[in-house]
């Protein structure tokens, strides 16, 4: 059965760092694009980063570019999101999502086939 499980969220002060991990199972990770979405309080869910299937492309939203880094380990079946220089506006629930055979990363949440349950990230002093 396909599963995606996020971990690594927590409370961090502005300027701090967190590393989120998406552990996957039930499919061949190299065949899937994996995206990170977040949903801030009172806002719609938005894509912040994506790693295309086979790691042929990577995407970062303008709001996180230069601060966040996505990487994957297909052998270990994990995708990580390293978040540096965190800001209060980064607060939200972070989800990983998978889309089969997508090498250029969809920006539309509706295109993704599988989702994790999310992990809370709170940036506050």
């Amino acid at each position: 059965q396909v599963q995606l499980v996020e971990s690594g969220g927590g409370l961090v002060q502005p300027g701090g760092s967190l590393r989120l991990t998406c552990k996957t199972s039930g499919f061949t990770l190299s065949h899937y694009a994996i995206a990170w979405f977040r949903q801030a309080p009172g806002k719609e869910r938005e894509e912040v980063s994506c790693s295309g299937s086979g790691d042929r492309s990577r995407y970062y939203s303008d709001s996180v570019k230069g601060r966040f880094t996505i990487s994957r380990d297909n052998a270990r079946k994990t995708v990580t999101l390293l978040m540096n220089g965190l800001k209060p506006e980064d607060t939200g629930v972070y989800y990983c999502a998978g889309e089969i055979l997508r090498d250029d990363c969809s920006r539309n949440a509706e295109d993704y086939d599988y989702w994790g349950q999310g992990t809370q990230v709170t940036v506050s002093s």
Side-chain angles (χ1 to χ4, degrees):
Q1 184 174 359
V2 172
Q3 287 187 300
L4 290 80
V5 181
E6 305 94 336
S7 63
L11 175 64
V12 64
Q13 294 186 352
S17 299
L18 284 173
R19 185 187 299 271
L20 305 184
T21 299
C22 178
K23 297 181 180 180
T24 72
S25 61
F27 63 96
T28 302
L29 181 58
S30 64
H31 295 172
Y32 285 76
I34 300 294
W36 287 95
F37 288 78
R38 71 184 179 193
Q39 188 161 20
K43 296 184 179 180
E44 296 183 354
R45 189 172 298 185
E46 64 172 342
E47 184 172 309
V48 297
S49 187
C50 180
S51 170
S53 62
D55 201 22
R56 293 187 176 187
S57 65
R58 295 180 182 179
Y59 163 80
Y60 301 95
S61 68
D62 290 340
S63 63
V64 309
K65 187 174 296 184
R67 299 187 296 119
F68 291 11
T69 303
I70 191 170
S71 61
R72 64 165 68 206
D73 187 328
N74 289 326
R76 296 182 62 197
K77 301 180 71 67
T78 62
V79 179
T80 63
L81 184 69
L82 176 61
M83 305 185 295
N84 293 321
L86 285 164
K87 305 174 181 179
E89 52 263 42
D90 294 319
T91 293
V93 179
Y94 283 70
Y95 303 86
C96 61
E99 182 181 10
I100 191 169
L101 298 178
R102 186 85 187 200
D103 63 356
D104 60 348
C105 297
S106 174
R107 309 293 182 267
N108 188 350
E110 295 181 352
D111 290 337
Y112 286 85
D113 303 299
Y114 305 107
W115 291 82
Q117 297 300 309
T119 185
Q120 176 71 43
V121 172
T122 302
V123 184
S124 176
S125 60

